[in-house]
Amino acid sequence: MHALSFYVGRIELLKKEKVVKKYDAYHLLTINDSSKTKIPLNQLNNINFDGIRFLIGIDSAVIENGAMSGDLDPMNGHFWSWQSGYIHFKLEGEFLDKPITYHIGGASGPTNTLQTVILPVTSINQHVTIAVTLDPIIAWLKKTNDCEIMSPSLVAVEFSTLFHQLFQATNR
């Protein structure tokens, strides 16, 4: 794997499936850069929560407002065009000596790849770690032998359904 990055946004802390704290910002996480693998959540004191819900990708309302700054800046390499929007999830590397390039995105209609992930958590001292596993992607590669997805499509939508399986909350 040469590059793995994705957008996480609209984080919500849950207690018995009800929102107890909400964060509307979007964050571009880059696994290959340790300075871009954490999202500090402020004002967690005395918040009791047992779940976390977040988006993988950028929702269409943000895209309709146009490209922005910070993590949403087009210079970060995750923006296709005004029409196609943002790349929600990017994976580049090799699998079984073949190059793989997945730029998964699409924000509207049948090519919408935005996914909501919900995880049960046990917070220890208000600290939760979300681990990322690539096992579902490896299984996808073995099954489909599809090494490239580079634009909004129904195949990208099918791939995006893997997002739910990539994340797991751990206590560290």
Side-chain angles (χ1 to χ4, degrees), residues 122-161:
T122 303
S123 62
I124 297 176
N125 296 328
Q126 307 296 326
H127 188 266
V128 174
T129 299
I130 307 292
V132 178
T133 180
L134 297 181
D135 293 344
I137 295 173
I138 292 168
W140 164 276
L141 286 165
K142 287 179 179 177
K143 179 182 89 176
T144 66
N145 207 23
D146 192 352
C147 294
E148 183 176 280
I149 302 172
M150 296 284 293
S151 62
S153 66
L154 295 179
V155 173
V157 172
E158 184 181 349
F159 182 88
S160 74
T161 63

Side-chain angles (χ1 to χ4, degrees), residues 58-148:
I58 308 294
D59 75 27
S60 60
V62 172
I63 295 168
E64 289 170 8
N65 289 329
M68 298 183 194
S69 60
D71 284 357
L72 295 173
D73 191 319
M75 296 301 291
N76 290 323
H78 271 258
F79 190 74
W80 277 317
S81 69
W82 297 106
Q83 192 172 24
S84 301
Y86 285 89
I87 298 168
H88 298 172
F89 179 93
K90 186 185 284 191
L91 174 65
E92 298 172 351
E94 290 182 4
F95 180 73
L96 301 177
D97 296 326
K98 291 190 234 175
I100 59 169
T101 307
Y102 286 155
H103 292 188
I104 306 300
S108 62
T111 59
N112 187 349
T113 60
L114 183 69
Q115 296 290 332
T116 301
V117 175
I118 302 171
L119 300 173
V121 298
T122 303
S123 62
I124 297 176
N125 296 328
Q126 307 296 326
H127 188 266
V128 174
T129 299
I130 307 292
V132 178
T133 180
L134 297 181
D135 293 344
I137 295 173
I138 292 168
W140 164 276
L141 286 165
K142 287 179 179 177
K143 179 182 89 176
T144 66
N145 207 23
D146 192 352
C147 294
E148 183 176 280

Side-chain angles (χ1 to χ4, degrees), residues 17-37:
E17 300 181 16
K18 297 204 184 308
V19 176
V20 294
K21 184 73 177 170
K22 186 175 184 178
Y23 302 88
D24 289 324
Y26 287 87
H27 307 273
L28 180 58
L29 298 181
T30 304
I31 302 302
N32 305 71
D33 181 346
S34 62
S35 70
K36 296 180 181 179
T37 60

